[in-house]
């Protein structure tokens, strides 16, 4: 993305505030034009004074008073206009920054889990914060300095040519030299700054990764090693940044040198032209002021291009994430079905992650409302893929998944997921209060609702024992709780959600026997009257399932009850022998 296109996208994000942006732009144009009045009027006043002195007469007060009044009017206009621009440009930039930051955050949350699996959360945070900071700086700079600088340079050339084309050539030469120097610096530093930004991303990812695993760092005495590796990233970052800074320091020196030579040239050439009768003293003074004005604007332009070069990699990263289109999104005719009954059917469903190896192949099964379907098999057999397809982490390449007789792709994504509750193997909790974590399941849950849910989830005892109430925080990722306590809290959250379809993704695999017993009691309560899908490696947890589906190579190779599959002597029976599970004796009819 070129710098011009990038800058255009920055301005396009002003969005709904476009009307105020146009007003500020017009005000900038008026302000830039008004700034030429002072040097022109000063030159006229000096010519009037020197002309009267040459003729040996007194200056005309009528003529001078008109020029002075015009000068005062233009000065007052620039003060008022400049103040208004500064005030409203600040408000506009701050407001848009918060709007875009919120929009970015919402957009990232909508991206699929596959995207988040390949992109570090620290990088996404860094892109959000630095990207919106860069946008804010660009917007503020545009209305305060950038726009008026470029307009000033555009107006300066024709005005100066009109007043005295000979002196104007010196200013044009300054602009040409400046443009050439700037183009050289841009070409030299663009790639270098992209490398710098990659090091910043590495720094954010490393720091976030280390802080997120602080227990691992401390328990394995990794403190010195982690600090050393972070320091090495910082050293690489500085090594890449220094050449960029050197180039822009050189640009500033050359720009000042060029402007100084231009001022000196105006004095020398202007004096010679005055002797030749081709320039008045007032014109010399006007062009001296023009030179001062153009010096300021050129320095601002150098600052803008320097800032743009520094911010461009961050902005490109921001727009790269911003432009990522979620693979899973609502169809134009998607509907909200309300609460579903939970009749789930897979019809010839196939899916592949890479287009070569099938992760799910020709899946056909039906789950009636209230049934518990267990999915078992070796790691990579396709169990998790099948369940991911159910709540539309992905869409199948062929076949269809229906709930209550309707293809789930015709439901609004949010509505579909409201009807599905998930209890993960790792209980996912926010660093917020117990109440906040429970209300993820039901936003308007009362304290009585929450108390009933945690009681049913076997969690009330430890909440009352360890906390003073539902407003106590559980720590980052729930670290104030044990594994079993976190899991029971997540079960309480699912109870509050009260979905007709439930997914238990290895919900007890990481627990000890005593804790597992408590969690299983909570799960039994949760599974009542729901269509439940259980992903399990520990086959002891699926004895009570209505039906067990055995996966291998992305296909269902066996299906039946626990006892029937053991008696059949197939793959499931082999798995049970491996885990030394003795089937319960069947009850005689």
């Amino acid at each position: 993305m070129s710098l011009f296109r990038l800058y255009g996208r920055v301005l396009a994000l002003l969005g709904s505030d476009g009307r105020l942006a146009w007003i500020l732009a017009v005000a900038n144009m008026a302000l830039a034009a008004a700034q030429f009045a002072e040097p022109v009027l000063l030159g006229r006043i000096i010519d009037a004074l020197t002309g009267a002195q040459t003729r040996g007469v007194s200056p005309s007060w009528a003529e001078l008073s008109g020029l002075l009044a015009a000068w005062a009017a233009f000065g007052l206009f620039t003060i008022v206009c400049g103040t208004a621009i500064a005030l409203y440009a600040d408000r506009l930039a701050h407001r848009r920054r918060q709007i875009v930051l919120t929009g970015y955050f919402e957009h990232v949350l909508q991206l699929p889990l596959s995207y988040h699996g390949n992109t570090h959360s620290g990088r996404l945070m860094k892109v959000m914060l630095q990207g919106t900071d860069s946008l804010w700086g660009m917007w503020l700079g545009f209305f305060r300095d950038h726009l008026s600088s470029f307009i000033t340079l555009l107006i300066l050339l024709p005005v100066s040519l009109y007043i005295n084309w000979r002196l104007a050539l010196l200013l044009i030469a300054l602009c040409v030299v400046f443009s050439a120097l700037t183009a050289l610096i841009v070409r030299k530093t663009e790639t270098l700054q992209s490398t710098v930004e990659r090091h910043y991303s590495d720094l954010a990812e490393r720091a976030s990764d280390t802080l997120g695993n602080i227990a691992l760092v401390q328990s394995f005495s990794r403190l010195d090693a982690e600090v050393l590796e972070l320091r090495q990233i910082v050293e690489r970052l500085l090594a890449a940044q220094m050449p960029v800074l050197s180039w822009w320091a050189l640009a500033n020196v050359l720009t000042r040198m060029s402007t100084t030579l231009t001022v000196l040239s105006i004095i020398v050439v202007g004096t010679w032209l005055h002797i030749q009768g081709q320039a008045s003293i007032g014109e010399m003074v006007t062009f001296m002021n023009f030179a001062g004005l153009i010096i300021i604007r050129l320095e601002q332009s150098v600052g803008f291009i320097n800032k743009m070069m520094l911010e461009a990699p961050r902005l490109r990263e921001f727009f790269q994430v911003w432009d990522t289109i979620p693979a899973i999104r609502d169809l134009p005719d998607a509907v909200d079905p309300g609460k579903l009954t939970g009749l789930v059917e897979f019809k010839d469903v196939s899916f592949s992650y890479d287009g070569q190896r099938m992760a799910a192949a020709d899946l056909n099964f039906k789950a009636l409302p209230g049934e518990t379907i267990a999915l078992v098999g070796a790691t990579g057999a396709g169990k998790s893929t099948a369940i991911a397809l159910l709540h539309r982490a992905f869409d199948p390449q062929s076949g269809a998944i229906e709930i209550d007789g309707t293809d789930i792709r015709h439901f609004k994504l949010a509505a579909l997921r409201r009807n599905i509750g998930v209890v993960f193997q790792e209980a996912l909790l926010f660093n917020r209060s117990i109440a906040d974590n429970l209300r993820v399941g039901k936003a308007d849950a009362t304290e009585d609702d929450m108390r009933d849910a945690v009681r049913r989830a076997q969690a009330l005892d430890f909440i009352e024992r360890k906390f003073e109430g539902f407003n106590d925080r559980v720590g980052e990722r729930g670290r104030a709780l044990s594994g079993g306590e976190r899991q029971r809290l997540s079960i309480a959250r699912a109870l509050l959600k009260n979905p007709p379809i439930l997914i238990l993704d290895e919900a007890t695999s990481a627990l000890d026997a005593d804790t597992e017993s408590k969690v299983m009691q909570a799960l039994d309560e949760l599974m009542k009257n729901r269509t439940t899908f259980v992903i399990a490696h520990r086959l002891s947890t699926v004895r009570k399932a209505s039906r067990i589906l055995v996966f291998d190579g992305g296909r269902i190779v066996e299906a039946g009850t626990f006892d029937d599959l053991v008696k059949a002597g197939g793959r499931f029976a082999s798995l049970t022998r491996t885990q030394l599970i003795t089937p319960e004796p069947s009850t005689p009819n």
Side-chain angles (χ1 to χ4, degrees):
M1 191 184 301
S2 68
L3 289 179
F4 287 111
R5 183 163 176 256
L6 190 64
Y7 198 51
R9 291 203 63 182
V10 169
L11 298 180
L13 282 179
L14 291 170
S16 58
D17 286 295
R19 181 179 179 184
L20 176 58
W22 275 109
I23 293 173
L24 289 171
V26 171
N28 266 279
M29 295 177 191
L31 185 60
Q35 288 176 340
F36 287 96
E38 183 176 334
V40 172
L41 290 170
L42 177 60
R44 294 287 179 85
I45 291 171
I46 289 175
D47 279 344
L49 293 173
T50 56
Q53 185 179 31
T54 302
R55 294 192 302 272
V57 298
S58 297
S60 171
W61 177 249
E63 180 182 2
L64 291 175
S65 61
L67 293 172
L68 290 171
W71 193 341
F74 276 110
L76 181 62
F77 173 79
T78 56
I79 291 172
V80 173
C81 196
T83 302
I85 289 172
L87 179 63
Y88 286 99
D90 265 357
R91 294 181 177 183
L92 173 63
H94 278 86
R95 182 168 62 251
R96 292 308 305 174
R97 179 186 185 276
Q98 302 309 324
I99 291 172
V100 172
L101 185 148
T102 305
Y104 173 97
F105 186 69
E106 180 182 6
H107 172 73
V108 168
L109 292 181
Q110 292 173 344
L111 294 176
L113 293 178
S114 58
Y115 179 88
H116 289 279
N118 295 319
T119 308
H120 198 283
S121 58
R123 176 181 177 272
L124 291 173
M125 280 293 295
K126 174 254 184 188
V127 170
M128 178 177 73
L129 297 176
Q130 290 191 351
T132 50
D133 280 347
S134 297
L135 289 168
W136 172 80
M138 289 288 110
W139 291 326
L140 198 61
F142 176 78
F143 291 115
R144 281 191 168 185
D145 299 314
H146 306 162
L147 182 58
S148 60
S149 294
F150 292 121
I151 293 172
T152 298
L153 293 174
L154 288 175
I155 296 175
L156 177 68
L157 297 181
V159 170
S160 60
L161 286 170
Y162 173 77
I163 295 173
N164 190 310
W165 66 269
R166 296 174 181 85
L167 292 174
L169 291 177
L170 294 173
L171 297 180
I172 293 173
L174 174 61
C175 292
V176 171
V177 171
F178 164 77
S179 299
L181 289 174
T182 302
L184 173 65
I185 300 301
V186 168
R187 188 168 65 252
K188 291 290 186 181
T189 59
E190 187 168 9
T191 303
L192 293 174
Q193 188 59 37
S194 296
T195 303
V196 171
E197 202 55 39
R198 284 197 296 272
H199 289 310
Y200 272 115
S201 293
D202 292 342
L203 180 64
E205 289 186 14
R206 170 67 67 169
S208 175
D209 200 34
T210 302
L211 292 173
N213 293 281
I214 190 65
L216 177 66
V217 172
Q218 292 182 354
S219 62
F220 280 81
S221 300
R222 286 278 306 173
L223 178 61
D224 292 339
E226 292 297 327
V227 172
L228 176 61
E229 290 176 13
L230 189 72
R231 186 176 289 118
Q232 290 172 346
I233 294 174
V234 171
E235 289 172 353
R236 290 195 294 270
L237 188 156
L238 289 173
Q241 184 74 79
M242 291 308 172
V244 178
L245 299 178
S246 297
W247 275 107
W248 284 106
L250 177 62
N252 279 310
V253 171
L254 294 176
T255 300
R256 289 183 177 275
M257 184 185 302
S258 299
T259 52
T260 301
L261 290 174
T262 302
V263 171
L264 182 60
S265 299
I266 288 174
I267 296 173
V268 173
V269 175
T271 301
W272 183 80
L273 290 174
H274 179 66
I275 294 172
Q276 300 296 317
Q278 296 176 336
S280 68
I281 295 176
E283 289 174 346
M284 288 179 59
V285 172
T286 296
F287 272 86
M288 289 289 294
N289 280 275
F290 278 175
L293 186 60
I294 199 172
I295 288 168
I296 294 173
R297 294 308 184 184
L298 287 179
E299 288 179 344
Q300 288 177 346
S301 299
V302 169
F304 158 68
I305 296 173
N306 185 9
K307 183 175 179 62
M308 191 67 197
M309 289 299 303
L310 292 173
E311 302 293 353
R314 297 175 181 178
L315 291 169
R316 288 193 181 102
E317 271 195 311
F318 178 86
F319 285 118
Q320 183 181 20
V321 177
W322 188 269
D323 292 339
T324 301
I325 300 174
I328 306 300
R329 53 190 186 276
D330 289 338
L331 295 175
D333 58 348
V335 298
D336 184 343
K339 188 158 187 175
L340 299 166
T341 60
L343 172 61
V344 178
E345 187 170 6
F346 279 61
K347 295 183 175 180
D348 299 316
V349 172
S350 296
F351 175 79
S352 172
Y353 292 100
D354 57 10
Q356 298 177 356
R357 178 180 174 275
M358 299 304 294
D362 301 320
L363 300 183
N364 284 281
F365 65 89
K366 180 185 291 188
L368 299 176
E371 280 192 327
T372 298
I373 307 297
L375 288 72
V376 302
T379 300
K383 312 181 298 297
S384 296
T385 299
I387 296 304
L389 292 169
L390 175 59
H391 61 83
R392 289 197 72 195
F394 314 97
D395 278 338
Q397 275 108 24
S398 63
I401 302 171
E402 294 181 355
I403 298 180
D404 294 355
T406 301
D407 191 323
I408 61 174
R409 285 170 289 199
H410 295 300
F411 296 145
K412 289 184 176 179
L413 195 57
L416 170 68
R417 291 175 179 171
R418 276 200 304 272
N419 280 277
I420 300 175
V422 183
V423 178
F424 299 96
Q425 179 179 4
E426 178 188 0
L428 304 176
L429 299 175
F430 292 115
N431 182 21
R432 302 171 192 170
S433 68
I434 296 172
D436 287 337
N437 277 286
L438 291 172
R439 288 192 176 111
V440 170
K442 183 182 179 183
D444 58 350
T446 65
E447 184 165 342
D448 288 340
D449 294 334
M450 292 186 287
R451 183 170 292 277
D452 179 63
V454 296
R455 179 186 56 76
R456 293 166 62 196
Q458 309 291 314
L460 184 60
D461 59 336
F462 76 78
I463 290 176
E464 291 180 337
R465 184 178 71 253
K466 298 179 69 171
F467 299 96
E468 294 184 2
F470 286 101
N471 291 324
D472 280 4
R473 298 172 76 91
V474 299
E476 186 175 0
R477 299 182 184 178
R479 285 176 179 163
L481 305 172
S482 69
E485 289 168 346
R486 288 196 295 269
Q487 198 65 289
R488 281 178 275 168
L489 201 58
S490 68
I491 292 170
R493 181 172 59 195
L495 282 166
L496 277 172
K497 186 177 183 179
N498 193 27
I501 300 170
L502 180 66
I503 296 171
L504 304 179
D505 187 357
E506 298 282 2
T508 63
S509 64
L511 305 178
D512 60 70
D514 183 56
T515 304
E516 180 182 358
S517 174
K518 295 179 180 178
V519 172
M520 286 303 300
Q521 292 179 49
L523 288 175
D524 287 342
E525 178 69 21
L526 177 61
M527 293 162 63
K528 287 179 181 177
N529 304 316
R530 305 183 205 279
T531 305
T532 305
F533 295 89
V534 181
I535 300 175
H537 281 109
R538 292 165 67 169
L539 303 183
S540 60
T541 62
V542 300
R543 283 184 180 274
K544 299 178 182 179
S546 308
R547 192 159 71 260
I548 298 171
L549 306 178
V550 183
F551 281 71
D552 184 45
R555 299 178 182 275
I556 298 173
V557 295
E558 292 180 353
T561 65
F562 187 97
D563 291 340
D564 289 343
L565 289 175
V566 171
K567 290 176 182 178
R571 181 171 292 275
F572 183 79
S574 176
L575 290 173
T576 59
R577 286 194 297 271
T578 301
Q579 296 190 18
L580 301 178
I581 297 176
T582 302
E584 294 177 346
S586 57
T587 303
N589 294 327

